[in-house]
Amino acid sequence: MARAVPGPVSGARVARRIATAAAYGGGGAGLLGGAAVGLLMAEVRLARRRVGGSDDVPPPADGVYGTAVASAGPGAQATPLRLAVLGDSTAAGQGVHRPRQTPGALLAAGLAAVAERPVRLRNVAVSGACSDDLDRQVSRLLEDGGVDGNGAPDVCVVMIGANDVTHRVPPAVSVRLLRDAVARLRAAGCEVVVGTCPDLGTVEPVAQPLRWLARRMSRRLAAAQTVAVVEQGGRTVSLGDLLGPEFEANPRELFGPDNYHPSAEGYATAAMAFLPTLCAALGLWPEEPEGDERPGGPGDSCAAHREEALPVEAAAAAAAGEGGTEVSGARGPLALLRRRRRRLPVAGVIAVAERSGAPEPAGAG
């Protein structure tokens, strides 16, 4: 019988232990014994043959989005909001071929639609990156004038962690590197939203027992990432099983040709769950009354809004097991665990990006 993934209580303890080790320079708790590591590596080699991979370069998507959408609104003449994306291949948009299908473009178009204001995107994410590349990405973003040469971004989206798991980076090391990157961005005046490590147990070709081990390690890392990010003043969105049960239910549609990276529909599903938190970080998303569980409208498969104040490690552990969940700071040692109501179905996110059309060149505006 397969063992269950650790529950919220034990998950909270592990998340706090890893985050504390990160803060004090430790290596973190080992997750696997020697025999398990040997089995894991054998399964990894088999999974890699099954998954395949892609050497395609993600399409460049830097530029100004939403000029057409914003032209009818009061913000048409406003200075564009500045959005930056950092992280790994998922942040870069590996697996799709059109700029508007990348997560950065989808988020920029959605943010422009909500703000009724143009959004300038700069993506410095790198395929294959682990958390040790974040310092270089942050430097690249901040040391040459930010998004448009005129200062730091208004908001940064970071997606990182999957490669740390597959490359066996010690969890506390991974978390410390992320914490330091968030601290630098916050010190520069940026709002920060981190998409935590996705649940690698949802990758379709991965067999047991690797599936269980991958899920366990990725969820533990995600919870510890949340503790560190929230304590630095950022927000997190749990990528979990890549933001919803749709990925497990419809892997052929939501994973790309390599069965590892999301398809265009998969990235739109991720953007749909990410967008409310991105907008809320900028004060653009209406806050729901606490306990509001009204339906969010047709086509919204996960519409209920729930909010709960919990110790940060407990909120982190709960979020790691529920894709699309937001964790942000609250008073004292507490954090707010939110499941925001989604106001756009997947088709709506894609339609917004399509209406935005091709972005203006990055130097325009």
Coordinates of all heavy atoms in Angstrom, one line a residue, residues 183-228:
A183 N 14.3 39.1 -1.0 CA 14.7 40.2 -0.2 C 15.3 41.3 -1.1 O 15.0 42.5 -0.8 CB 15.7 39.7 0.8
R184 N 16.1 41.0 -2.1 CA 16.7 42.0 -2.9 C 15.6 42.7 -3.7 O 15.7 44.0 -3.9 CB 17.7 41.4 -3.9 CG 19.0 40.9 -3.3 CD 19.9 40.4 -4.4 NE 20.3 41.5 -5.4 CZ 21.0 41.3 -6.5 NH1 21.3 40.0 -6.9 NH2 21.3 42.3 -7.3
L185 N 14.6 42.0 -4.2 CA 13.6 42.6 -5.0 C 12.7 43.5 -4.1 O 12.3 44.6 -4.5 CB 12.7 41.5 -5.7 CG 13.4 40.7 -6.8 CD1 12.6 39.5 -7.2 CD2 13.7 41.6 -8.0
R186 N 12.4 43.0 -2.9 CA 11.6 43.8 -2.0 C 12.4 45.1 -1.6 O 11.8 46.2 -1.5 CB 11.2 43.0 -0.8 CG 10.3 41.9 -1.0 CD 8.9 42.3 -1.4 NE 8.3 43.0 -0.2 CZ 7.4 44.0 -0.3 NH1 7.1 44.5 -1.5 NH2 6.9 44.5 0.8
A187 N 13.7 45.0 -1.4 CA 14.5 46.2 -1.0 C 14.5 47.2 -2.2 O 14.6 48.4 -1.9 CB 15.9 45.7 -0.7
A188 N 14.3 46.7 -3.4 CA 14.3 47.6 -4.5 C 12.9 48.2 -4.8 O 12.7 49.0 -5.7 CB 14.7 46.9 -5.8
G189 N 11.9 47.9 -3.9 CA 10.6 48.4 -4.0 C 9.6 47.6 -4.9 O 8.5 48.1 -5.2
C190 N 10.0 46.4 -5.2 CA 9.1 45.5 -6.0 C 8.1 44.7 -5.2 O 8.5 44.2 -4.1 CB 9.9 44.5 -6.8 SG 11.3 45.2 -7.8
E191 N 6.9 44.6 -5.6 CA 6.0 43.5 -5.1 C 6.5 42.2 -5.7 O 7.0 42.2 -6.8 CB 4.6 43.8 -5.5 CG 4.0 45.1 -4.9 CD 3.9 45.0 -3.4 OE1 3.8 43.9 -2.8 OE2 3.9 46.1 -2.8
V192 N 6.4 41.1 -4.9 CA 6.9 39.8 -5.4 C 5.8 38.8 -5.2 O 5.2 38.6 -4.1 CB 8.2 39.4 -4.7 CG1 8.7 38.1 -5.2 CG2 9.2 40.5 -4.8
V193 N 5.6 38.0 -6.3 CA 4.6 36.9 -6.2 C 5.4 35.7 -6.7 O 5.9 35.7 -7.8 CB 3.4 37.1 -7.1 CG1 2.5 35.9 -7.0 CG2 2.6 38.3 -6.7
V194 N 5.5 34.6 -5.9 CA 6.3 33.4 -6.2 C 5.4 32.3 -6.5 O 4.5 32.0 -5.6 CB 7.3 33.1 -5.1 CG1 8.0 31.7 -5.3 CG2 8.3 34.2 -4.9
G195 N 5.5 31.6 -7.6 CA 4.9 30.4 -7.9 C 5.8 29.3 -7.3 O 6.9 29.1 -7.8
T196 N 5.3 28.6 -6.3 CA 6.2 27.6 -5.6 C 6.3 26.4 -6.4 O 5.7 26.1 -7.4 CB 5.6 27.3 -4.2 OG1 4.2 26.8 -4.3 CG2 5.6 28.5 -3.3
C197 N 7.2 25.5 -6.0 CA 7.6 24.3 -6.7 C 6.4 23.5 -7.1 O 5.6 23.2 -6.2 CB 8.5 23.4 -5.8 SG 9.1 21.9 -6.7
P198 N 6.2 23.2 -8.4 CA 5.1 22.4 -8.8 C 5.1 20.9 -8.3 O 6.2 20.5 -7.9 CB 5.1 22.4 -10.3 CG 6.6 22.7 -10.6 CD 7.1 23.5 -9.5
D199 N 4.0 20.3 -8.3 CA 3.9 18.9 -7.8 C 4.4 18.0 -9.0 O 3.7 17.8 -9.9 CB 2.5 18.6 -7.4 CG 2.4 17.2 -6.9 OD1 3.3 16.4 -7.0 OD2 1.3 16.9 -6.3
L200 N 5.7 17.5 -8.9 CA 6.2 16.7 -9.9 C 5.6 15.3 -10.0 O 5.8 14.6 -11.0 CB 7.7 16.6 -9.8 CG 8.5 17.9 -9.8 CD1 10.0 17.7 -9.6 CD2 8.3 18.6 -11.2
G201 N 4.8 15.0 -9.0 CA 4.1 13.7 -9.1 C 3.0 13.7 -10.1 O 2.4 12.7 -10.4
T202 N 2.7 14.9 -10.8 CA 1.6 14.9 -11.8 C 2.2 14.7 -13.2 O 1.4 14.6 -14.1 CB 0.9 16.3 -11.8 OG1 1.8 17.3 -12.0 CG2 0.2 16.5 -10.4
V203 N 3.5 14.6 -13.3 CA 4.1 14.4 -14.7 C 3.7 13.0 -15.1 O 4.0 12.0 -14.5 CB 5.6 14.6 -14.6 CG1 6.2 14.3 -16.0 CG2 6.0 16.0 -14.2
E204 N 3.0 12.9 -16.2 CA 2.2 11.7 -16.6 C 3.1 10.4 -16.7 O 2.8 9.4 -16.2 CB 1.5 11.9 -17.9 CG 0.5 10.7 -18.2 CD -0.1 10.8 -19.6 OE1 0.5 11.5 -20.4 OE2 -1.1 10.2 -19.8
P205 N 4.3 10.5 -17.4 CA 5.1 9.2 -17.5 C 5.8 8.7 -16.3 O 6.3 7.7 -16.3 CB 6.1 9.6 -18.6 CG 5.6 10.9 -19.2 CD 4.9 11.6 -18.1
V206 N 5.8 9.5 -15.2 CA 6.5 9.1 -14.0 C 5.7 8.0 -13.3 O 4.6 8.2 -12.9 CB 6.7 10.3 -13.1 CG1 7.4 9.9 -11.8 CG2 7.6 11.4 -13.8
A207 N 6.4 6.9 -13.0 CA 5.8 5.8 -12.4 C 6.0 5.7 -10.9 O 6.9 6.5 -10.4 CB 6.3 4.5 -13.0
Q208 N 5.3 4.9 -10.2 CA 5.6 4.7 -8.8 C 6.9 3.8 -8.7 O 7.1 3.0 -9.5 CB 4.4 4.0 -8.1 CG 3.1 4.8 -8.1 CD 3.2 6.0 -7.1 OE1 4.3 6.3 -6.6 NE2 2.0 6.6 -6.9
P209 N 7.7 4.0 -7.6 CA 7.5 4.8 -6.5 C 8.0 6.3 -6.7 O 7.9 7.1 -5.8 CB 8.3 4.1 -5.4 CG 9.4 3.5 -6.1 CD 8.9 3.1 -7.4
L210 N 8.6 6.5 -7.9 CA 9.1 7.9 -8.1 C 8.0 8.9 -8.0 O 8.3 10.0 -7.5 CB 9.8 7.9 -9.5 CG 10.3 9.3 -9.9 CD1 11.4 9.8 -8.9 CD2 10.9 9.2 -11.3
R211 N 6.8 8.6 -8.5 CA 5.7 9.6 -8.4 C 5.5 10.0 -7.0 O 5.3 11.2 -6.7 CB 4.5 9.0 -9.0 CG 3.3 9.9 -9.0 CD 2.0 9.2 -9.5 NE 2.2 8.8 -10.9 CZ 1.8 9.6 -12.0 NH1 1.3 10.8 -11.7 NH2 2.0 9.2 -13.2
W212 N 5.4 9.1 -6.0 CA 5.2 9.4 -4.6 C 6.4 10.2 -4.1 O 6.2 11.2 -3.4 CB 5.0 8.1 -3.8 CG 4.9 8.4 -2.3 CD1 3.7 8.8 -1.7 CD2 5.9 8.4 -1.4 NE1 4.0 9.0 -0.3 CE2 5.3 8.7 -0.1 CE3 7.3 8.0 -1.4 CZ2 6.1 8.8 1.1 CZ3 8.0 8.1 -0.2 CH2 7.4 8.4 1.0
L213 N 7.6 9.8 -4.4 CA 8.8 10.5 -3.9 C 8.9 11.9 -4.4 O 9.2 12.9 -3.7 CB 10.0 9.7 -4.2 CG 10.2 8.4 -3.5 CD1 11.4 7.6 -4.2 CD2 10.5 8.6 -2.0
A214 N 8.6 12.1 -5.7 CA 8.6 13.4 -6.4 C 7.6 14.3 -5.7 O 7.8 15.5 -5.5 CB 8.4 13.2 -7.9
R215 N 6.4 13.8 -5.5 CA 5.3 14.6 -4.9 C 5.7 15.0 -3.5 O 5.5 16.1 -3.1 CB 4.0 13.7 -4.9 CG 2.9 14.4 -4.1 CD 1.6 13.8 -4.5 NE 1.2 14.2 -5.8 CZ 0.3 13.6 -6.6 NH1 -0.4 12.6 -6.1 NH2 0.1 14.1 -7.8
R216 N 6.3 14.1 -2.7 CA 6.7 14.4 -1.3 C 7.7 15.5 -1.3 O 7.6 16.4 -0.5 CB 7.2 13.1 -0.7 CG 7.5 13.3 0.8 CD 8.1 12.0 1.4 NE 8.3 12.1 2.8 CZ 9.1 11.3 3.5 NH1 9.8 10.4 2.8 NH2 9.2 11.3 4.8
M217 N 8.8 15.3 -2.1 CA 9.9 16.3 -2.1 C 9.4 17.7 -2.6 O 9.8 18.7 -2.1 CB 11.0 15.8 -2.9 CG 11.7 14.6 -2.3 SD 13.3 14.2 -3.1 CE 12.7 13.6 -4.7
S218 N 8.6 17.7 -3.7 CA 8.2 19.0 -4.3 C 7.2 19.7 -3.3 O 7.3 20.9 -3.2 CB 7.6 18.8 -5.7 OG 6.6 17.8 -5.7
R219 N 6.4 19.0 -2.7 CA 5.4 19.6 -1.7 C 6.2 20.2 -0.5 O 5.9 21.3 0.0 CB 4.3 18.7 -1.3 CG 3.3 18.4 -2.4 CD 2.1 17.7 -1.8 NE 1.1 17.5 -2.9 CZ -0.1 16.9 -2.6 NH1 -0.4 16.5 -1.4 NH2 -1.0 16.7 -3.6
R220 N 7.2 19.4 0.0 CA 7.9 19.9 1.1 C 8.7 21.2 0.7 O 8.8 22.1 1.5 CB 8.9 18.8 1.6 CG 8.2 17.8 2.4 CD 9.2 16.8 3.0 NE 8.5 15.9 4.0 CZ 9.2 15.0 4.7 NH1 10.4 14.8 4.5 NH2 8.5 14.2 5.5
L221 N 9.3 21.2 -0.5 CA 10.0 22.4 -0.9 C 9.1 23.5 -1.1 O 9.4 24.7 -0.7 CB 10.8 22.1 -2.2 CG 11.5 23.3 -2.8 CD1 12.6 23.8 -1.8 CD2 12.2 22.9 -4.1
A222 N 7.9 23.3 -1.7 CA 6.9 24.4 -1.9 C 6.5 25.0 -0.6 O 6.4 26.2 -0.4 CB 5.7 23.8 -2.6
A223 N 6.3 24.2 0.5 CA 5.9 24.7 1.8 C 7.0 25.6 2.4 O 6.8 26.7 2.9 CB 5.5 23.6 2.7
A224 N 8.2 25.1 2.3 CA 9.3 25.8 2.9 C 9.6 27.1 2.1 O 9.9 28.2 2.7 CB 10.6 25.0 2.9
Q225 N 9.4 27.1 0.8 CA 9.5 28.3 0.0 C 8.5 29.3 0.4 O 8.8 30.5 0.6 CB 9.3 28.0 -1.5 CG 10.4 27.3 -2.2 CD 10.0 26.9 -3.6 OE1 8.9 26.6 -3.9 NE2 11.0 27.1 -4.6
T226 N 7.3 28.9 0.7 CA 6.2 29.8 1.1 C 6.6 30.5 2.5 O 6.4 31.7 2.6 CB 4.9 29.1 1.3 OG1 4.5 28.7 0.0 CG2 3.8 30.0 1.9
V227 N 7.1 29.7 3.4 CA 7.5 30.3 4.7 C 8.5 31.4 4.5 O 8.4 32.6 5.0 CB 8.1 29.3 5.6 CG1 8.7 29.9 6.9 CG2 7.0 28.3 6.0
A228 N 9.6 31.2 3.7 CA 10.6 32.1 3.4 C 10.1 33.4 2.7 O 10.5 34.5 3.0 CB 11.8 31.5 2.7

